């Protein structure tokens, strides 16, 4: 089972879809490196509001 979040709603769907092909091309070419921190989903209530140095990824 995978639970994925993308922040949808922060950008209008039409704008997101317009930019998606170029974004996919840049991602696949390695232009974006996102450092992540894995956090157990059981700790979501403690970690949701904190501001980490890396993108939080909740794991099951």
């Amino acid at each position: 089972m995978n639970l994925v979040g993308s922040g949808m709603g922060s950008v209008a769907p039409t704008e997101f879809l317009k930019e998606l092909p170029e974004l996919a091309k840049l991602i696949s070419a390695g232009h974006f490196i996102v450092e992540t921190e894995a956090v157990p989903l059981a700790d979501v209530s403690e970690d949701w509001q904190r501001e980490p140095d890396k993108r939080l990824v909740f794991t099951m």
Side-chain angles (χ1 to χ4, degrees):
M1 171 189 243
N2 290 328
L3 178 65
V4 179
S6 65
M8 295 302 295
S10 60
V11 177
T14 53
E15 290 298 313
F16 182 79
L17 289 174
K18 184 170 72 173
E19 298 297 330
L20 190 56
E22 181 66 19
L23 181 59
K25 186 168 76 172
L26 292 170
I27 291 169
S28 64
H31 289 276
F32 292 95
I33 298 173
V34 179
E35 293 192 34
T36 60
E37 177 183 342
V39 178
L41 186 58
D43 296 340
V44 68
S45 61
E46 294 91 38
D47 290 316
W48 187 257
Q49 295 296 323
R50 74 179 172 96
E51 296 183 26
D53 295 335
K54 301 175 184 176
R55 181 175 175 93
L56 289 181
V57 177
F58 293 98
T59 59
M60 293 203 235

